[in-house]
């Protein structure tokens, strides 16, 4: 029997059986798809963004970034909001809520003026969705009144959040664009307007690859391309950074946060939870592997909780947030020398090359033994540890204190999988 743990969570006053939700995109864009996702184990869906404007999509519309045989490090899409009629989408959401009352239905909406936002909010009210998300962040909407141009304009974010909050009592979540320096500004504006939660991030404006045949970006649409949204594993660090900055802000620290961006595995889920997210959203990994990724997410998380003795998500949500501190507050009094395990070493020489060409020439190469040997120039940067292809072959070793600095007990990572 597999390990069972309670993954349920209260998110904006709504009881969710687990924090795993599909993010607004094609992965949750009609009845059959969402029904299958619910049956596979997803706790809820942020249904594909609905507007009064119905998208007229281009073809092709996707591209991906790869490196050394690893495809889908990053994913680019040129999709806009839903290409289905507004009424059909609301009908789908209504039927899904009826058929799956325990699952959480979040309507993602986008208007192009206050009237449209009110109109869409009213339709959400009539259909009886659990939550509403405002898409202030799609980077490929052509009008300046919609998408990420709105998300980088705090006045519009405040006004549109207010329009929704005045129209319905359903809690409103503002979805942020990462195409901005400081996300706390529009996030605070959204809360001032009446939003109850924040979700982040939408996709990052990008040009992924240049096609040499057509001399344009990818994907090639009749010889042309556009700057458009980047998602998937590559954006996780950017998402985590924005989320931490928001949750550490005095005015946003208690905001129910929904984390999005590059979530593929249970470990990614855990990382967003540890920074303080109460809800998780996923698209790109579902586009690559299907709805079943949720099985790994819930099983992995339950196993980890079991190992650590946690019974519920609230036992550890936000635990890592306080340990993310300003760079000037880091303890700079010591260096940790790398420890080389000769038995695990396969003699590839990558640590030597990297340290010589890009580190501090602190490794001598023993040609006879084909093994690295540390000399006294080491600064403890751990580039060698990062390039070594063998897990736990180079590990943090002796701690050396800089002259005159006070020795204290230090915490360090010991196990590198
Ligand atoms: C093909 C595609 C279509 C998307 N459409 C929408 C959309 O209609 N509304 C929206 O808010 N976000 C949309 N997104 C953004 C995702 O919801 C999500 O914020 C982003 O992809 C980052 O998460 P991920 O790395 O798990 O994909 C779309 C993303 C992709 C890849
Ligand atoms: S820690 Fe940095 S300086 Fe020291 S051996 Fe490794 S790469 Fe070289
Ligand atoms: S990179 Fe790792 S495996 Fe390769 S020589 Fe250095 S220690 Fe050995």
């Amino acid at each position: 029997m597999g390990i069972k743990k309670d993954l349920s969570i209260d998110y904006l006053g709504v009881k969710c059986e687990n924090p795993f939700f599909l993010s607004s995109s094609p992965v949750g864009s009609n009845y059959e798809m969402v029904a299958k996702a619910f049956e596979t184990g997803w706790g809820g869906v942020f249904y594909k963004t609905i507007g009064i404007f119905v998208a007229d999509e281009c073809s092709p519309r996707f591209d991906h970034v790869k490196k050394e045989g690893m495809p889908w490090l990053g994913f680019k899409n040129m999709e806009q909001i839903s290409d289905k009629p507004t009424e059909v989408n609301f009908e789908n959401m209504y039927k899904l809520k009826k058929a799956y009352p325990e699952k959480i239905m979040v309507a993602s909406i986008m208007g192009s003026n206050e009237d449209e936002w009110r109109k869409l909010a009213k339709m959400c009210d009539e259909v009886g969705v659990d939550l509403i998300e405002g898409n202030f962040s799609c980077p490929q909407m052509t009008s300046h009144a919609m998408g990420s141009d709105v998300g980088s304009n705090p006045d519009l974010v405040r006004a549109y959040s207010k329009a929704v909050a005045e129209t319905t009592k359903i809690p409103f979540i503002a979805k942020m664009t990462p195409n901005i320096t400081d996300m706390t500004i529009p996030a605070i504006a959204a809360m001032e307007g009446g939003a109850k939660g924040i979700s982040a991030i939408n996709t990052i404006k990008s040009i992924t690859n240049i096609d040499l045949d057509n001399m344009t970006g990818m994907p090639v649409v009749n010889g042309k391309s556009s700057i458009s949204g980047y998602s998937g594993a590559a954006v996780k660090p950017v998402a985590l950074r924005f989320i931490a900055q928001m949750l550490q802000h005095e005015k946003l620290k208690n905001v129910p946060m929904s984390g999005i961006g590059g979530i593929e595995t249970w470990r990614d889920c855990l990382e967003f939870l540890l920074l303080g997210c109460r809800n998780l959203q996923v698209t790109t990994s579902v586009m690559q592997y299907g709805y079943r990724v949720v099985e790994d997410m819930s099983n992995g998380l339950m196993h980890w909780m079991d190992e650590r003795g946690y019974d519920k998500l609230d036992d550890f949500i936000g635990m890592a947030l306080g340990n993310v501190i300003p760079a000037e507050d880091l303890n700079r009094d010591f260096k940790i020398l790398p420890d080389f395990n000769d038995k695990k070493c396969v003699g590839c020489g990558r640590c030597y090359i990297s340290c010589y060409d890009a580190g501090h020439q602190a490794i001598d190469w023993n040609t006879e033994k084909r093994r690295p040997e540390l000399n006294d120039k080491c600064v403890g940067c751990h580039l060698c540890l990062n390039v070594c292809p063998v897990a736990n072959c180079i590990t943090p070793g002796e701690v050396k204190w800089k002259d005159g600095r006070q020795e204290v007990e230090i915490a360090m990572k010991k196990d590198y999988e």
Side-chain angles (χ1 to χ4, degrees):
M1 255 252 307
I3 288 162
K4 284 272 163 237
K5 287 275 177 188
D6 181 8
L7 297 183
S8 68
I9 185 95
D10 182 288
Y11 171 58
L12 284 158
V14 175
K15 168 109 171 154
C16 312
E17 77 179 56
N18 62 48
F20 313 120
F21 281 46
L22 297 172
S23 67
S24 181
S25 72
V27 304
S29 55
N30 69 26
Y31 186 93
E32 291 75 20
M33 293 168 91
V34 177
K36 182 180 172 196
F38 283 164
E39 274 160 31
T40 314
W42 294 87
V45 60
F46 287 70
Y47 193 93
K48 171 81 184 171
T49 302
I50 306 168
I52 305 297
F53 162 89
V54 174
D56 182 16
E57 296 291 3
C58 64
S59 164
R61 64 189 83 147
F62 300 140
D63 185 37
H64 72 268
V65 170
K66 56 181 173 231
K67 184 176 187 289
E68 290 161 6
M70 281 286 290
W72 286 70
L73 290 177
F75 181 60
K76 168 173 160 161
N77 85 86
M78 303 209 300
E79 257 196 37
Q80 300 187 327
I81 61 174
S82 180
D83 58 359
K84 296 178 188 56
T86 312
E87 288 70 22
V88 171
N89 284 319
F90 276 105
E91 200 179 317
N92 283 343
M93 289 195 293
Y94 176 76
K95 286 194 203 147
L96 282 159
K97 191 63 206 170
K98 275 249 137 49
Y100 299 92
E102 303 299 307
K103 302 286 183 175
I104 307 309
M105 176 57 67
V106 192
S108 167
I109 57 172
M110 183 196 282
S112 65
N113 55 46
E114 280 184 38
D115 274 355
E116 285 191 7
W117 280 94
R118 278 181 213 279
K119 201 167 167 188
L120 291 162
K122 196 152 183 293
M123 288 164 110
C124 292
D125 224 13
E126 283 158 9
V127 160
V129 300
D130 299 289
L131 299 165
I132 302 174
E133 184 182 73
N135 182 340
F136 295 134
S137 39
C138 176
Q140 42 270 347
M141 298 304 294
T142 43
S143 146
H144 289 283
M146 286 189 277
S148 59
D149 284 347
V150 173
S152 41
N153 179 337
D155 291 336
L156 282 181
V157 170
R158 189 183 299 101
Y160 293 161
S161 300
K162 190 159 177 271
V164 175
E166 281 173 356
T167 309
T168 172
K169 297 229 157 355
I170 301 171
F172 180 64
I173 306 153
K175 181 168 180 179
M176 297 287 115
T177 174
N179 301 300
I180 189 169
T181 316
D182 186 352
M183 204 179 272
T184 61
I185 296 169
I188 291 168
M191 302 307 286
E192 286 166 355
K196 296 280 180 292
I198 298 291
S199 55
I201 59 173
N202 205 315
T203 50
I204 303 173
K205 285 185 182 177
S206 69
I207 295 176
T208 38
N209 296 291
I210 299 292
D211 175 59
L212 303 185
D213 295 331
N214 291 283
M215 292 291 170
T216 187
M218 291 280 284
V220 180
V221 181
N222 190 22
K224 311 276 188 237
S225 198
S226 290
I227 290 172
S228 69
Y230 196 47
S231 60
V235 313
K236 189 184 82 170
V238 180
L240 292 176
R241 164 244 160 161
F242 276 123
I243 287 165
Q245 279 181 324
M246 284 189 284
L247 289 175
Q248 287 183 337
H249 193 284
E250 198 47 41
K251 291 191 175 161
L252 296 169
K253 62 182 181 205
N254 296 318
V255 167
M257 183 67 65
S258 178
I260 325 167
I263 299 178
E264 289 189 351
T265 65
W266 68 268
R267 211 193 144 106
D268 300 324
C269 292
L270 181 57
E271 290 172 7
F272 280 80
L273 293 169
L274 288 173
L275 272 191
C277 297
R278 304 187 67 75
N279 175 265
L280 308 166
Q281 300 187 40
V282 185
T283 280
T284 303
S285 65
V286 174
M287 294 186 79
Q288 196 177 2
Y289 302 111
Y291 298 124
R292 67 193 169 84
V293 292
V294 75
E295 289 163 6
D296 162 78
M297 289 172 185
S298 48
N299 288 334
L301 202 53
M302 288 191 285
H303 269 88
W304 181 83
M305 286 166 70
D306 194 56
E307 268 170 36
R308 303 287 174 119
Y310 294 127
D311 293 324
K312 52 185 191 315
L313 301 189
D314 278 318
D315 290 348
F316 56 87
I317 281 180
M319 259 185 146
L321 188 65
N323 291 327
V324 178
I325 59 170
E328 62 270 25
D329 294 344
L330 292 169
N331 185 331
R332 293 167 185 273
D333 297 340
F334 61 89
K335 60 181 175 184
I336 304 176
L337 303 181
D339 189 39
F340 297 81
N341 183 326
D342 278 0
K343 288 212 178 76
K344 286 191 174 166
C345 175
V346 293
C348 68
R350 285 188 61 182
C351 55
Y352 165 71
I353 296 284
S354 287
C355 185
Y356 196 93
D357 292 0
H360 291 76
Q361 288 118 36
I363 296 176
D364 299 321
W365 189 248
N366 185 323
T367 33
E368 234 164 75
K369 291 202 228 153
R370 287 200 59 77
R371 289 294 177 266
E373 284 170 0
L374 198 66
N375 65 39
D376 59 10
K377 289 192 222 149
C378 179
V379 298
C381 68
H382 291 196
L383 173 63
C384 51
L385 192 153
N386 281 280
V387 298
C388 179
V390 183
N392 279 319
C393 171
I394 307 179
T395 48
E398 187 190 349
V399 177
K400 284 248 187 207
W401 292 87
K402 294 178 188 167
D403 284 347
R405 309 291 176 94
Q406 201 201 334
E407 294 188 24
V408 291
E409 186 142 351
I410 61 152
M412 67 166 111
K413 182 164 174 62
K414 297 211 178 70
D415 185 35
Y416 286 82
E417 296 137 38

